Amino acid sequence: MSENLLKSIVLIESNKPKDSNFGTGFVIDRDDQYTYVLTCAHVVNAVGGKAALKVGELSVELVVLGKERSTDLAVLAVQGLFDKPLLKLRMTTSVGEIFITAGFHSSAGTHQLLQNRVKLKQRDVDRVLLADGTELLSAWNLEVTQGERLEPGCSGSPVVQEKTGEVTGVVIHRKDDKGQEGLAISITALEKVWAARSSDLLQPPPEEIAPPSPNPFKFHPFRFWRDHNLHTALRIGGLVTVAICGIRFLGGMQSVELAMFDQLMRSRLSSDEADDRLLIIEVDQAAINDQDPNERRGSASLSDRTLNDLLQKLDAYQPKTIGLDIYRNFEVTKPFKRTLGERLRRDDRVITVCKVPDSGSGSSGIKPPPEVPSNRTPGRVGFSDFVADEGTIVRRQLLEMSLEQREPPCFAQFAFSLQLAAHYLHAKPEPTPEGYSLKGTVFKPLQGYTGGYQGIDAGGHQILLNYRSPKGSPRNIAERITLKNFLAGDPLTVDRLQNRIVLIGVTDPDKGDSWNTPYQEQIPGVTVQAQMVSQILSVIKRERPLIWTLPQWAELLWIWAWATVGGLLAWRIRSFLTLLVFVGGAIVGLCFICVILLMRGGWLPLVPSGFALAFATTGVRVVIYSTNPGKPS
């Protein structure tokens, strides 16, 4: 014990050549950059203040400085002294107990280290009064019992229990010229001077120590709860949560959250396969150009002859449902009225489309085929409209339009995709208090504030679109064949089409029916329709989940939890580099949780949680180390 004590003592001098004042200090803590030395506040002032501090030839910075007439302690940070042993600190004393102290004194122009045995004579609590005048700290009268005497320069010497080697006080000055008596301040004064670290350094009195626990990771909540820095961390976490949620509620994070949602969608470990219930017949540019120019009906439609040939050939393969995702707002020409016209009028397998007017794009809408009026055959006409976010990215699926949204020339109530799925399942959408139901499965609608969407127009019945991405691309949702190859006799077996849904649509990108997806890929409108049909069928068959979000109160708690994690990390971790590692690990863990849950349909608020974690960590570190500095900044 005596050897460690002497090795831990350091000489504190002035770097000014003409200043001969000096004092004593001792090592109590260290981290990756600094060794921390405890001494007296009046020693720092005596050698000329923080600018004049010197410990050997090492660089010194002042961490905290108490008041000479109250908490007469100071903590110094020294870049070095890493070979010096640390002295443990213990909050206990008893009158008559024998202690050892060691400090420097001047002899023949040199500084020598002197060790003494001292006895605690009595407590003198009136010596140390806090600045607010409401709390007293213990100071003790010391009497030298053996050795030399307390010399000038002994201020800052540790008062060490002889049996345990633990520091319980610090010598602050001599009480007489003979050096036989002195005054020491209790080590508990460190709590008021260096609150950021005192709870870790100060050991409680022996009677307060809990019996050894077999669990080395046992948490002592009452001890930590007394730390006012913990309260600061929790308060800052709460304030950060309120600020983040306020900004989010006002829409300040929507674009970032939607971009992160797209990234999470792309990051999912997908084992998706193409939906074998669907087949897409692609009307590409070659198919459009191959039509007789005299028979062509519109730049993005099919001639009566081509459509009639297609439907006749499809009939041989017995598909269960045929989705015609091509606008035909004109009557069938006279030569084909008995064939194509009658087929469109009577074949209830053929589902057609119309388009609702859109004032935003200037579109006046497109009516359904005259042979399939929506007012007389409501189950055979669906609107083709999508709900696109900024950048024409389709993340939502519109299932139904409210009565106010339906305008001429398109009065269809339900979406084309929902009509196809309903016909395939021999079911009809039924309204329930929670949303529309199909085959007993309820599709709960989005609200104005759902997930990353904040204050959107949630009119109609909207749900989030959970894309399939076979081979990493939403384009591969189903088997595809071009119209030209199909009509040319591309070998298809009945099994490949029987009882399937066949979607027919234009895929030529020049025709303006291409849409962006979260996968940074444009796909034709008919492929988006296939994604939507597949989602409805997959949810009903319990193959894939709908994308769900937490209620707003639960999202607030989730964000607050991550803000609290950041605050607690900043409260407990002093090393900046270590803190960066832990915060980085927490962010990686947050991302991992969000990706895993999105694979199961859950969209959690990743962006606001990450911001809350980062800002709470920064705020707690700045506040704690500016009001109660634990190390130089």
Side-chain angles (χ1 to χ4, degrees), residues 129-166:
L129 177 65
L130 294 183
D132 59 9
T134 60
E135 184 177 354
L136 299 174
L137 294 180
S138 296
W140 327 318
N141 285 315
L142 301 176
E143 179 182 29
V144 177
T145 61
Q146 181 179 334
E148 301 295 330
R149 62 188 191 128
L150 296 176
E151 295 280 358
C154 67
S155 294
S157 301
V159 179
V160 179
Q161 285 184 316
E162 189 174 31
K163 295 179 181 179
T164 64
E166 296 167 326

Short mmCIF file of all heavy atoms in Angstrom, two decimals, residues 129-166:
data_model
loop_
_atom_site.label_atom_id
_atom_site.label_comp_id
_atom_site.label_asym_id
_atom_site.label_seq_id
_atom_site.Cartn_x
_atom_site.Cartn_y
_atom_site.Cartn_z
N LEU A 129 -18.66 25.06 3.81
CA LEU A 129 -20.03 25.47 3.56
C LEU A 129 -20.24 25.62 2.06
O LEU A 129 -19.47 26.30 1.38
CB LEU A 129 -20.31 26.81 4.26
CG LEU A 129 -21.71 27.42 4.04
CD1 LEU A 129 -22.76 26.51 4.66
CD2 LEU A 129 -21.77 28.81 4.67
N LEU A 130 -21.29 25.00 1.56
CA LEU A 130 -21.56 25.10 0.14
C LEU A 130 -22.04 26.49 -0.24
O LEU A 130 -22.49 27.26 0.60
CB LEU A 130 -22.61 24.07 -0.28
CG LEU A 130 -22.19 22.60 -0.16
CD1 LEU A 130 -23.30 21.72 -0.67
CD2 LEU A 130 -20.90 22.36 -0.91
N ALA A 131 -21.97 26.77 -1.54
CA ALA A 131 -22.29 28.11 -2.01
C ALA A 131 -23.75 28.49 -1.71
O ALA A 131 -24.05 29.64 -1.45
CB ALA A 131 -22.02 28.22 -3.50
N ASP A 132 -24.68 27.52 -1.78
CA ASP A 132 -26.07 27.86 -1.53
C ASP A 132 -26.40 27.93 -0.05
O ASP A 132 -27.52 28.26 0.34
CB ASP A 132 -27.00 26.85 -2.21
CG ASP A 132 -26.78 25.42 -1.73
OD1 ASP A 132 -26.04 25.23 -0.75
OD2 ASP A 132 -27.37 24.51 -2.33
N GLY A 133 -25.44 27.58 0.82
CA GLY A 133 -25.62 27.71 2.25
C GLY A 133 -26.54 26.70 2.88
O GLY A 133 -26.92 26.83 4.03
N THR A 134 -26.89 25.66 2.15
CA THR A 134 -27.88 24.72 2.67
C THR A 134 -27.30 23.36 3.03
O THR A 134 -27.98 22.56 3.65
CB THR A 134 -28.99 24.50 1.63
OG1 THR A 134 -28.41 23.96 0.45
CG2 THR A 134 -29.69 25.80 1.29
N GLU A 135 -26.07 23.08 2.65
CA GLU A 135 -25.51 21.75 2.91
C GLU A 135 -24.08 21.89 3.39
O GLU A 135 -23.31 22.71 2.89
CB GLU A 135 -25.55 20.92 1.62
CG GLU A 135 -25.08 19.49 1.84
CD GLU A 135 -25.19 18.66 0.57
OE1 GLU A 135 -25.74 19.19 -0.42
OE2 GLU A 135 -24.73 17.51 0.58
N LEU A 136 -23.72 21.09 4.39
CA LEU A 136 -22.37 21.13 4.94
C LEU A 136 -21.63 19.84 4.60
O LEU A 136 -22.22 18.77 4.58
CB LEU A 136 -22.43 21.29 6.46
CG LEU A 136 -23.12 22.58 6.97
CD1 LEU A 136 -23.23 22.53 8.48
CD2 LEU A 136 -22.34 23.79 6.54
N LEU A 137 -20.34 19.97 4.32
CA LEU A 137 -19.49 18.80 4.11
C LEU A 137 -18.51 18.68 5.26
O LEU A 137 -18.13 19.68 5.87
CB LEU A 137 -18.74 18.92 2.79
CG LEU A 137 -19.58 18.88 1.51
CD1 LEU A 137 -18.69 19.01 0.31
CD2 LEU A 137 -20.37 17.59 1.44
N SER A 138 -18.07 17.48 5.52
CA SER A 138 -17.19 17.24 6.66
C SER A 138 -15.76 17.70 6.38
O SER A 138 -15.22 17.47 5.30
CB SER A 138 -17.16 15.74 6.99
OG SER A 138 -18.45 15.32 7.42
N ALA A 139 -15.17 18.35 7.35
CA ALA A 139 -13.73 18.60 7.37
C ALA A 139 -13.22 18.03 8.69
O ALA A 139 -13.93 17.96 9.69
CB ALA A 139 -13.43 20.09 7.28
N TRP A 140 -11.95 17.59 8.73
CA TRP A 140 -11.45 16.94 9.92
C TRP A 140 -10.19 17.63 10.41
O TRP A 140 -9.37 18.11 9.64
CB TRP A 140 -11.08 15.46 9.67
CG TRP A 140 -11.92 14.75 8.66
CD1 TRP A 140 -13.25 14.82 8.51
CD2 TRP A 140 -11.45 13.85 7.65
NE1 TRP A 140 -13.67 14.03 7.49
CE2 TRP A 140 -12.58 13.41 6.93
CE3 TRP A 140 -10.20 13.36 7.29
CZ2 TRP A 140 -12.49 12.51 5.88
CZ3 TRP A 140 -10.12 12.46 6.25
CH2 TRP A 140 -11.25 12.04 5.55
N ASN A 141 -10.03 17.61 11.72
CA ASN A 141 -8.76 18.01 12.33
C ASN A 141 -7.85 16.80 12.40
O ASN A 141 -8.25 15.73 12.86
CB ASN A 141 -9.00 18.55 13.74
CG ASN A 141 -9.60 19.95 13.70
OD1 ASN A 141 -9.15 20.79 12.94
ND2 ASN A 141 -10.64 20.18 14.50
N LEU A 142 -6.63 16.98 11.90
CA LEU A 142 -5.65 15.89 11.89
C LEU A 142 -4.52 16.18 12.88
O LEU A 142 -4.14 17.33 13.09
CB LEU A 142 -5.06 15.73 10.48
CG LEU A 142 -6.03 15.44 9.34
CD1 LEU A 142 -5.28 15.41 8.02
CD2 LEU A 142 -6.76 14.13 9.57
N GLU A 143 -3.96 15.11 13.46
CA GLU A 143 -2.82 15.23 14.36
C GLU A 143 -1.74 14.25 13.90
O GLU A 143 -2.00 13.06 13.71
CB GLU A 143 -3.24 14.91 15.80
CG GLU A 143 -2.08 14.99 16.79
CD GLU A 143 -2.51 14.62 18.19
OE1 GLU A 143 -3.46 13.81 18.33
OE2 GLU A 143 -1.92 15.13 19.14
N VAL A 144 -0.53 14.79 13.70
CA VAL A 144 0.58 13.95 13.27
C VAL A 144 1.01 13.08 14.45
O VAL A 144 1.28 13.57 15.54
CB VAL A 144 1.77 14.78 12.77
CG1 VAL A 144 2.93 13.89 12.40
CG2 VAL A 144 1.35 15.62 11.57
N THR A 145 1.05 11.75 14.23
CA THR A 145 1.43 10.84 15.32
C THR A 145 2.80 10.23 15.12
O THR A 145 3.40 9.71 16.04
CB THR A 145 0.40 9.70 15.42
OG1 THR A 145 0.40 8.97 14.19
CG2 THR A 145 -1.00 10.26 15.67
N GLN A 146 3.32 10.25 13.94
CA GLN A 146 4.60 9.61 13.69
C GLN A 146 5.21 10.21 12.43
O GLN A 146 4.51 10.64 11.55
CB GLN A 146 4.41 8.09 13.48
CG GLN A 146 5.70 7.33 13.24
CD GLN A 146 5.45 5.84 13.08
OE1 GLN A 146 4.49 5.32 13.60
NE2 GLN A 146 6.32 5.18 12.36
N GLY A 147 6.50 10.25 12.33
CA GLY A 147 7.17 10.79 11.16
C GLY A 147 7.60 12.22 11.40
O GLY A 147 7.83 12.64 12.55
N GLU A 148 7.69 12.98 10.38
CA GLU A 148 8.15 14.36 10.48
C GLU A 148 6.99 15.24 10.92
O GLU A 148 6.44 15.06 12.00
CB GLU A 148 8.71 14.80 9.13
CG GLU A 148 9.88 13.95 8.64
CD GLU A 148 11.11 14.06 9.52
OE1 GLU A 148 11.31 15.13 10.12
OE2 GLU A 148 11.85 13.07 9.61
N ARG A 149 6.59 16.10 10.04
CA ARG A 149 5.47 16.98 10.33
C ARG A 149 4.86 17.46 9.02
O ARG A 149 5.43 17.23 7.95
CB ARG A 149 5.95 18.18 11.15
CG ARG A 149 6.96 19.05 10.42
CD ARG A 149 7.55 20.09 11.33
NE ARG A 149 8.32 21.08 10.58
CZ ARG A 149 8.16 22.39 10.65
NH1 ARG A 149 7.24 22.88 11.45
NH2 ARG A 149 8.90 23.22 9.94
N LEU A 150 3.68 18.07 9.12
CA LEU A 150 3.05 18.62 7.93
C LEU A 150 3.79 19.88 7.52
O LEU A 150 3.86 20.85 8.27
CB LEU A 150 1.57 18.95 8.21
CG LEU A 150 0.66 17.76 8.54
CD1 LEU A 150 -0.75 18.24 8.88
CD2 LEU A 150 0.61 16.77 7.38
N GLU A 151 4.38 19.83 6.32
CA GLU A 151 5.19 20.94 5.84
C GLU A 151 4.41 21.76 4.80
O GLU A 151 3.45 21.27 4.22
CB GLU A 151 6.47 20.40 5.18
CG GLU A 151 7.41 19.67 6.13
CD GLU A 151 8.25 20.63 6.94
OE1 GLU A 151 8.12 21.84 6.73
OE2 GLU A 151 9.02 20.16 7.79
N PRO A 152 4.82 23.02 4.57
CA PRO A 152 4.25 23.76 3.44
C PRO A 152 4.44 22.96 2.15
O PRO A 152 5.52 22.41 1.91
CB PRO A 152 5.05 25.06 3.43
CG PRO A 152 5.54 25.21 4.83
CD PRO A 152 5.81 23.83 5.33
N GLY A 153 3.41 22.87 1.35
CA GLY A 153 3.45 22.04 0.14
C GLY A 153 2.67 20.75 0.30
O GLY A 153 2.47 20.02 -0.66
N CYS A 154 2.23 20.47 1.56
CA CYS A 154 1.47 19.23 1.78
C CYS A 154 0.02 19.35 1.30
O CYS A 154 -0.69 18.35 1.23
CB CYS A 154 1.50 18.85 3.25
SG CYS A 154 0.60 20.01 4.32
N SER A 155 -0.45 20.56 0.99
CA SER A 155 -1.83 20.72 0.52
C SER A 155 -2.04 19.90 -0.75
O SER A 155 -1.25 19.96 -1.69
CB SER A 155 -2.11 22.20 0.22
OG SER A 155 -2.07 22.96 1.40
N GLY A 156 -3.14 19.11 -0.74
CA GLY A 156 -3.42 18.21 -1.85
C GLY A 156 -2.99 16.79 -1.58
O GLY A 156 -3.23 15.91 -2.41
N SER A 157 -2.35 16.55 -0.41
CA SER A 157 -1.92 15.19 -0.07
C SER A 157 -3.13 14.31 0.24
O SER A 157 -4.08 14.77 0.89
CB SER A 157 -0.99 15.22 1.14
OG SER A 157 0.14 16.02 0.89
N PRO A 158 -3.11 13.06 -0.17
CA PRO A 158 -4.23 12.16 0.14
C PRO A 158 -4.16 11.71 1.60
O PRO A 158 -3.08 11.49 2.16
CB PRO A 158 -4.00 10.98 -0.81
CG PRO A 158 -2.52 10.95 -1.02
CD PRO A 158 -2.07 12.39 -0.99
N VAL A 159 -5.32 11.57 2.22
CA VAL A 159 -5.43 10.98 3.56
C VAL A 159 -5.94 9.56 3.36
O VAL A 159 -7.09 9.37 2.95
CB VAL A 159 -6.38 11.80 4.45
CG1 VAL A 159 -6.49 11.16 5.83
CG2 VAL A 159 -5.90 13.24 4.57
N VAL A 160 -5.08 8.59 3.62
CA VAL A 160 -5.32 7.20 3.22
C VAL A 160 -5.52 6.33 4.45
O VAL A 160 -4.75 6.41 5.42
CB VAL A 160 -4.13 6.67 2.39
CG1 VAL A 160 -4.36 5.24 1.98
CG2 VAL A 160 -3.92 7.54 1.16
N GLN A 161 -6.56 5.49 4.42
CA GLN A 161 -6.76 4.53 5.50
C GLN A 161 -5.61 3.53 5.51
O GLN A 161 -5.26 2.96 4.47
CB GLN A 161 -8.08 3.79 5.31
CG GLN A 161 -9.31 4.62 5.64
CD GLN A 161 -10.58 3.80 5.53
OE1 GLN A 161 -10.74 3.04 4.58
NE2 GLN A 161 -11.47 3.94 6.49
N GLU A 162 -5.04 3.33 6.69
CA GLU A 162 -3.86 2.48 6.81
C GLU A 162 -4.17 1.03 6.45
O GLU A 162 -3.36 0.34 5.84
CB GLU A 162 -3.30 2.56 8.23
CG GLU A 162 -1.96 1.87 8.40
CD GLU A 162 -1.36 2.11 9.78
OE1 GLU A 162 -2.14 2.26 10.74
OE2 GLU A 162 -0.14 2.14 9.88
N LYS A 163 -5.37 0.56 6.79
CA LYS A 163 -5.69 -0.85 6.57
C LYS A 163 -6.05 -1.15 5.11
O LYS A 163 -5.67 -2.19 4.57
CB LYS A 163 -6.86 -1.26 7.47
CG LYS A 163 -6.53 -1.20 8.96
CD LYS A 163 -7.74 -1.61 9.78
CE LYS A 163 -7.47 -1.55 11.29
NZ LYS A 163 -8.64 -1.92 12.08
N THR A 164 -6.79 -0.23 4.50
CA THR A 164 -7.33 -0.52 3.16
C THR A 164 -6.59 0.16 2.02
O THR A 164 -6.71 -0.25 0.86
CB THR A 164 -8.81 -0.11 3.08
OG1 THR A 164 -8.90 1.32 3.24
CG2 THR A 164 -9.63 -0.79 4.17
N GLY A 165 -5.85 1.22 2.33
CA GLY A 165 -5.17 1.97 1.28
C GLY A 165 -6.10 2.85 0.48
O GLY A 165 -5.75 3.29 -0.62
N GLU A 166 -7.28 3.13 0.98
CA GLU A 166 -8.27 3.93 0.27
C GLU A 166 -8.25 5.37 0.78
O GLU A 166 -8.13 5.62 1.98
CB GLU A 166 -9.67 3.34 0.43
CG GLU A 166 -9.79 1.96 -0.21
CD GLU A 166 -11.06 1.24 0.20
OE1 GLU A 166 -11.51 1.41 1.34
OE2 GLU A 166 -11.59 0.48 -0.64
#
